[in-house]
Amino acid sequence: MTAGKPLAEGSRRLDAFVSSTHAEFRALVGGAQAVAALGTYRRLSDVHVRGDAAAVITSVDPARSTTPGDEIRRRRVTAIRNALAPIPRVTYRTVSRGENERAHTLAVRAHDTDQGR
């Protein structure tokens, strides 16, 4: 965010049924890769990762020793950590769903668009 405004946001339809945890990992990979791409064009000093899925946030935070139970999530954790590694300061925090309302709106928008609404 710059001065309280997002630099980028979006939503994407999923082609297959996956658990909400897998969807959150997938979204975080996309976000981390978008941040890494921004770092190519501008100097980034801080990234603050926020999410309402404690299992996801705990797994991607390198300060924690939690490891996801399946190979797909482990690969996604690695991708997220690698994408954010060049940034000097990255913080991770679980927030309530109420604090994460914009993410929910984007997720629903992708589903509503897919349903022809």
Side-chain angles (χ1 to χ4, degrees), residues 58-97:
T58 301
S59 294
V60 298
D61 184 350
R64 310 252 183 140
S65 61
T66 304
T67 303
D70 67 74
E71 182 59 30
I72 293 169
R73 288 185 285 176
R74 285 192 297 271
R75 282 196 315 260
R76 290 185 174 151
V77 166
T78 299
I80 293 161
R81 289 180 180 177
N82 288 344
L84 299 177
I87 299 162
R89 184 179 144 191
V90 181
T91 63
Y92 301 85
R93 184 168 65 96
T94 303
V95 298
S96 70
R97 294 218 171 176

Side-chain angles (χ1 to χ4, degrees), residues 28 35 45 57 71 75 83 85 91 93 102 104 106-107 109:
L28 191 48
V35 166
S45 61
I57 298 301
E71 182 59 30
R75 282 196 315 260
T91 63
R93 184 168 65 96
R102 184 65 184 150
H104 176 74
L106 290 168
R109 183 176 74 189

Side-chain angles (χ1 to χ4, degrees), residues 13-61:
R13 183 176 67 89
L14 298 175
D15 294 329
F17 175 78
V18 295
S19 71
S20 61
T21 302
H22 277 277
E24 295 218 20
F25 272 111
R26 193 179 215 179
L28 191 48
V29 167
Q33 290 171 340
V35 166
L38 286 172
T40 305
Y41 303 105
R42 61 176 61 181
R43 187 187 137 148
L44 301 174
S45 61
D46 295 76
V47 170
H48 306 287
V49 178
R50 306 289 178 260
D52 59 35
V56 174
I57 298 301
T58 301
S59 294
V60 298
D61 184 350

